[in-house]
């Protein structure tokens, strides 16, 4: 039996070996791509909330570094964008700052830099002793700044409330921006 010894390459090598066939298999993107071919990131993040609510405790236990677990689960969920033709860039540098995730989606399926939509996703963890509202305020400012720096069409702030005693109803929420607020949607996960 042939086995790939290094765990890092167990996904990479088979994907490379099957790429020539895989690119002809249509990806089921219709549920998070609108009729014009644009990424509906809000729809994707809304679906993530349900998945996250049901699975976060189980999945986070598998990560050795528990603080990174929720963000890694978010990245794994967003991997479907990569499979659908888009790209997720992690720790994307924007001037002096860094954003956690920058989602790129080609308009019309072409990777023309002038035709790529950008979506910023910033991740923040609310730890014991912190107030959620202050974390949201600073995260919204940071996300707005990143959006401005890269010309993003949308900004999303993912809040992982890891404080003990929080119910799912308290952790899972969506706050759309008001008319006089920063254009950032806040997602409680």
């Amino acid at each position: 039996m042939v086995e790939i010894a290094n765990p890092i390459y167990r996904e990479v090598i088979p994907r490379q070996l099957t790429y020539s066939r895989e690119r002809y298999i249509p990806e089921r993107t219709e549920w998070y791509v609108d009729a014009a071919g644009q990424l509906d990131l809000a729809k994707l993040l809304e679906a993530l909330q349900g998945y996250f609510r049901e699975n976060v405790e189980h999945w986070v236990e598998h990560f050795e570094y528990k603080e990174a677990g929720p963000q890694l689960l978010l990245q794994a969920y967003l991997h479907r964008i990569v499979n659908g033709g888009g790209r997720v860039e992690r720790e994307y540098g924007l001037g002096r700052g860094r954003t956690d995730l920058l989602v790129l989606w080609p308009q019309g399926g072409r990777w023309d830099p002038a035709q790529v939509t950008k979506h910023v996703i910033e991740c923040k963890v609310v730890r014991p002793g912190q107030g959620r509202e202050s974390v949201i305020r600073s995260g919204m400012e940071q996300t707005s700044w990143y959006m401005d720096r890269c010309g993003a069409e949308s900004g999303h702030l993912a809040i992982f409330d890891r404080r003990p005693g929080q119910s799912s109803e308290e952790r899972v929420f969506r706050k759309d921006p008001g008319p006089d607020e920063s254009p950032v949607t806040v997602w409680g996960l």
Side-chain angles (χ1 to χ4, degrees):
M1 184 168 121
V2 176
E3 184 177 312
I4 299 169
N6 189 330
I8 294 173
Y9 296 113
R10 285 191 186 133
E11 178 182 350
V12 175
I13 291 173
R15 285 187 71 103
Q16 284 301 111
L17 292 173
T18 61
Y19 176 74
S20 63
R21 296 289 178 234
E22 184 180 310
R23 66 184 177 159
Y24 294 108
I25 299 172
E27 179 67 27
R28 291 185 45 95
T29 60
E30 63 271 3
W31 72 273
Y32 65 88
V33 175
D34 67 18
Q38 292 299 309
L39 176 66
D40 188 342
L41 191 58
K43 190 174 187 179
L44 189 66
L45 290 172
E46 191 173 278
L48 168 67
Q49 282 183 313
Y51 177 81
F52 202 85
R53 184 178 193 161
E54 295 171 9
N55 297 289
V56 68
E57 300 304 327
H58 170 72
W59 282 107
V60 169
E61 290 305 312
H62 287 87
F63 297 112
E64 286 187 39
Y65 184 56
K66 306 267 186 271
E67 288 291 314
Q71 186 172 345
L72 293 172
L73 188 57
L74 168 64
Q75 289 181 31
Y77 194 87
L78 291 176
H79 190 46
R80 66 185 61 224
I81 293 172
V82 174
N83 290 338
R87 191 167 71 217
V88 179
E89 294 186 359
R90 293 149 184 89
E91 295 293 322
Y92 183 79
L94 293 171
R96 295 171 292 157
R98 300 176 74 78
T99 186
D100 292 319
L101 302 166
L102 182 67
V103 176
L104 305 172
W105 187 261
Q107 295 180 18
R110 294 186 48 231
W111 278 101
D112 175 1
Q115 299 293 317
V116 173
T117 57
K118 299 173 185 173
H119 309 272
V120 169
I121 302 177
E122 180 63 24
C123 302
K124 295 289 183 191
V125 177
V126 181
R127 294 178 179 83
Q130 287 183 308
R132 184 168 70 185
E133 290 307 314
S134 66
V135 172
I136 289 174
R137 262 192 316 278
S138 66
M140 287 180 69
E141 289 175 17
Q142 189 177 5
T143 306
S144 293
W145 186 80
Y146 292 146
M147 289 173 63
D148 183 56
R149 296 283 295 168
C150 73
E153 283 74 17
S154 70
H156 303 272
L157 175 61
I159 299 292
F160 302 107
D161 195 336
R162 307 310 302 154
R163 297 176 295 172
Q166 299 290 310
S167 69
S168 292
E169 286 74 29
E170 292 170 308
R171 286 185 177 159
V172 179
F173 64 91
R174 176 180 178 172
K175 182 181 179 288
D176 291 313
D180 297 329
E181 292 182 319
S182 171
V184 176
T185 302
V186 181
W187 300 88
L189 296 164

